[in-house]
Amino acid sequence: MMFTSATHPTKQEQLAAMREFSNNTNARLPVLFLLDASSSMNGIVRGDNQHILRQEYSDGINWNIVTGDNMVTRMDELNVGLQRFVSDILADPLVKLAADVAVITFARTTTTVKEFGPIRESDSKLKITASRENETLLGEAVELALSELDSRKRTYRAHGVEFYQPWLVVMTDGVPTSARHRELEERLKVLTINRKLSVFVFGIGRTDLSELSCISPGRPPMQVNDQKFPELFAWLSRSVYMVSMSMPGDGVSLTPPPEDVWQV
């Protein structure tokens, strides 16, 4: 397994942070996307002339291996949604100053796709690829994410930058293949109650929402229609806007996502 987090920034990272925060002294909203990249994310959402070739067991579920024409996978749809988020943030100058976004994918191991920082034009090419790993070590990935968020908050404090309550946005399909996520329930609950963290958990496909409830204190995990990722990410970008228009420490009531996002 490979779940590591840098606790001491390098000199190069320190210089980069100095430049970033001297150029933009606005309060930040740290948003960490923790996205499932296990092999089951290659599951077919739609396509023409589909034929089942065989079944494979992955992430605790039996999956049909399908062939056909014009196939679109869950990962394809998730990438469309992620690009919607990027374009929405770039379109608003004020939100672009506030949003501090990181993207980490996980399966058996983790990959940092985007380190914490503002959304830039180059992120228009941001794309996630499903791995060949058929494990979903959800709890270990969440633990890493919490460590990364703590590190980012230390960086803010070191540079005198205000920040909003951090967001952890988790999207996963299948079933966790270890029990570590259950051991994090109390820690996440305390963080949420003390307004140190806001967690959004979205189940994709046939995921087990009861398992995901362990990491989703304060709001129940929600099952996403995997053809509605653009609408979901548009709601997330609007929610970032609402928070960024408030003062750090203020409570912000987010509008609910569109109803069809949940019609699976």
Side-chain angles (χ1 to χ4, degrees):
M1 293 181 295
M2 187 170 60
F3 289 87
T4 59
S5 175
T7 54
H8 301 289
T10 65
K11 189 169 292 185
Q12 186 176 2
E13 289 170 336
Q14 290 174 331
L15 289 172
M18 287 176 64
R19 287 194 297 270
E20 178 188 343
F21 295 124
S22 61
N23 292 334
N24 174 14
T25 58
N26 286 265
R28 300 302 204 279
L29 171 58
V31 180
L32 194 156
F33 286 103
L34 190 62
L35 306 176
D36 193 338
S38 57
S39 58
S40 57
M41 286 296 290
N42 279 324
I44 302 300
V45 174
R46 62 180 183 275
D48 303 323
N49 305 315
Q50 295 185 46
H51 301 285
I52 298 174
L53 297 177
R54 63 185 185 279
Q55 278 198 337
E56 286 188 6
Y57 184 80
S58 177
D59 296 349
I61 294 176
N62 283 315
W63 301 91
N64 292 327
I65 306 303
V66 177
T67 187
D69 303 318
N70 305 314
M71 307 293 264
V72 177
T73 68
R74 289 195 184 94
M75 190 58 82
D76 293 331
E77 294 283 42
L78 190 149
N79 276 311
V80 171
L82 188 58
Q83 281 305 309
R84 173 65 183 271
F85 180 85
V86 168
S87 62
D88 284 353
I89 298 299
L90 288 173
D92 192 300
L94 293 177
V95 178
K96 190 166 67 169
L97 292 173
D100 189 19
V101 180
V103 180
I104 296 176
T105 62
F106 69 98
R108 182 174 59 85
T109 57
T110 60
T111 300
T112 300
V113 179
K114 181 189 183 309
E115 295 184 348
F116 270 115
I119 295 290
R120 298 183 171 90
E121 291 292 340
S122 58
D123 293 317
S124 297
K125 299 179 180 178
L126 200 63
K127 185 177 181 180
I128 296 168
T129 303
S131 75
R132 295 184 177 181
E133 298 172 349
N134 60 3
E135 294 181 66
T136 304
L137 298 185
L138 174 64
E140 290 84 347
V142 170
E143 199 164 28
L144 171 66
L146 294 177
S147 178
E148 293 293 335
L149 286 165
D150 282 343
S151 177
R152 194 57 173 169
K153 288 189 290 185
R154 287 196 297 270
T155 300
Y156 294 148
R157 294 187 184 107
H159 293 274
V161 172
E162 288 189 291
F163 58 92
Y164 300 96
Q165 182 175 335
W167 286 14
L168 174 58
V169 181
V170 183
M171 298 185 184
T172 181
D173 73 343
V175 177
T177 50
S178 83
R180 182 61 184 149
H181 60 289
R182 298 173 193 163
E183 299 168 13
L184 297 174
E185 184 171 9
E186 189 60 31
R187 179 181 173 187
L188 289 165
K189 188 180 296 182
V190 170
L191 287 169
T192 302
I193 290 172
N194 292 329
R195 300 181 66 182
K196 302 293 185 182
L197 181 68
S198 191
V199 186
F200 302 85
V201 179
F202 302 102
I204 305 166
R206 291 185 287 166
T207 191
D208 186 343
L209 294 184
S210 63
E211 286 289 341
L212 297 184
S213 64
C214 298
I215 62 163
S216 190
R219 58 172 61 85
M222 296 171 276
Q223 187 160 17
V224 184
N225 181 328
D226 48 19
Q227 297 187 50
K228 294 292 182 179
F229 279 115
E231 290 83 354
L232 172 59
F233 277 93
W235 173 76
L236 287 166
S237 62
R238 287 195 301 272
S239 299
V240 170
Y241 169 82
M242 292 176 65
V243 172
S244 66
M245 293 299 105
S246 68
M247 294 296 292
D250 289 351
V252 178
S253 297
L254 302 180
T255 57
E259 187 64 33
D260 62 354
V261 169
W262 318 124
Q263 292 176 358
V264 296

